[in-house]
Amino acid sequence: MLEDWFELHIGLEEAAALIRTYEVQFLPGLLQTEAYAHAVTRLGYPDAPARTTDRLVELRMARQKLLTRPDAPKLWAVLDEAVLRRAFGGPEVMRAQLEHLLEAAELPSVTLQVAPFSVGANAAAGSPITILRFREPDLPDKVYLEQLTGAVYLDKQHDIDQYTLIMERLCTEAQTPQESSRFLRRLLEQPG
C-alpha cells in the first residue's frame, strides 16, 4: 500500500547528502519510535487493517537505518514546540519518544533544533518543509511538501531559494542544538 509519491521520497532520501526538515504536526519519520509511528499511522489510515499499519511502521523503522550507515546523510531537523507537546499514543509513548530524540541528537549525522512557541508565525507559515540536497552535483535540490493524500516536489531554483530562505530563518530563530536538548530534558522532567 505504498503510494508512488512516497516511494519516490524514499529513493530521494537514500540519495541525499543533506535532509533539512521542519515539522509542525508530527515528528519526522526518520526520528519516530515504533510506538509513536504506530499512533500517527493509525491516525492517517484509521480504516486500514492492522497488517497494513504494521507494514507502514516497519518501513518507517527500516528507513531510520539510513542515519547510522557509514555514508549517512546529514539530517537537520527543526521541530515546532507543538509537535513535542502533542502526546500521540499517550504519555508513556511520548516519554519514550522524547528519550529517543535525545539519543538521536547524539548521532553525528543528526542536528536537532526546537522552534519554541516564541518563534511565532513569521518563520514558516505553519507548513512542514523538507529540502533534500544530493551527493551528485548534477542533481538539483528538491523541496518536498507532504500533504494528507500526496506530495508535491519542487525543483525550480526560485522555489528552492524561497524554501531555503524559510529554512535558514527557522534555523536561526530556533534554539541551538544544545538548548534544544535541554528543552527536551525539561519536558521529560514534567509530570505527564
Side-chain angles (χ1 to χ4, degrees):
M1 179 175 155
L2 193 57
E3 306 286 350
D4 291 344
W5 58 267
F6 195 68
E7 209 168 321
L8 175 59
H9 182 67
I10 291 170
L12 293 173
E13 274 183 348
E14 285 285 328
L18 173 64
I19 303 166
R20 296 177 77 186
T21 188
Y22 170 64
E23 289 292 338
V24 296
Q25 181 69 25
F26 305 111
L27 289 164
L30 291 172
L31 296 173
Q32 294 177 7
T33 63
E34 190 170 341
Y36 183 96
H38 266 286
V40 298
T41 301
R42 280 192 299 269
L43 285 174
Y45 298 93
D47 299 328
R51 70 180 179 280
T52 300
T53 302
D54 291 345
R55 176 67 189 117
L56 291 169
V57 171
E58 284 171 20
L59 175 64
R60 187 162 297 169
M61 296 302 105
R63 282 174 49 216
Q64 293 180 5
K65 292 179 181 153
L66 184 73
L67 299 177
T68 55
R69 70 182 193 199
D71 64 339
K74 178 86 173 134
L75 173 65
W76 190 340
V78 179
L79 310 174
D80 190 279
E81 181 177 347
V83 170
L84 301 169
R85 294 196 180 272
R86 280 191 196 98
F88 290 113
E92 290 308 309
V93 168
M94 199 60 196
R95 172 173 273 304
Q97 179 62 67
L98 293 172
E99 290 168 352
H100 179 72
L101 287 174
L102 283 166
E103 291 170 16
E106 297 296 321
L107 292 172
S109 62
V110 175
T111 300
L112 190 64
Q113 290 183 272
V114 174
F117 291 136
S118 60
V119 165
N122 62 335
S127 64
I129 303 165
T130 299
I131 302 173
L132 299 119
R133 177 160 291 155
F134 303 97
R135 289 178 176 83
E136 294 295 321
D138 295 341
L139 289 175
D141 291 356
K142 292 223 182 287
V143 173
Y144 170 75
L145 306 171
E146 189 172 326
Q147 300 157 356
L148 185 60
T149 58
V152 175
Y153 293 91
L154 306 173
D155 59 8
K156 290 189 171 78
Q157 194 59 52
H158 176 266
D159 294 330
I160 292 166
D161 291 345
Q162 285 297 110
Y163 281 97
T164 300
L165 182 64
I166 290 168
M167 189 64 78
E168 292 295 333
R169 195 171 336 145
L170 276 164
C171 291
T172 301
E173 293 184 23
Q175 296 173 341
T176 67
Q178 296 77 16
E179 291 168 336
S180 297
S181 290
R182 286 193 293 274
F183 181 86
L184 292 171
R185 285 190 193 91
R186 283 193 304 275
L187 281 180
L188 278 167
E189 291 168 4
Q190 294 177 0

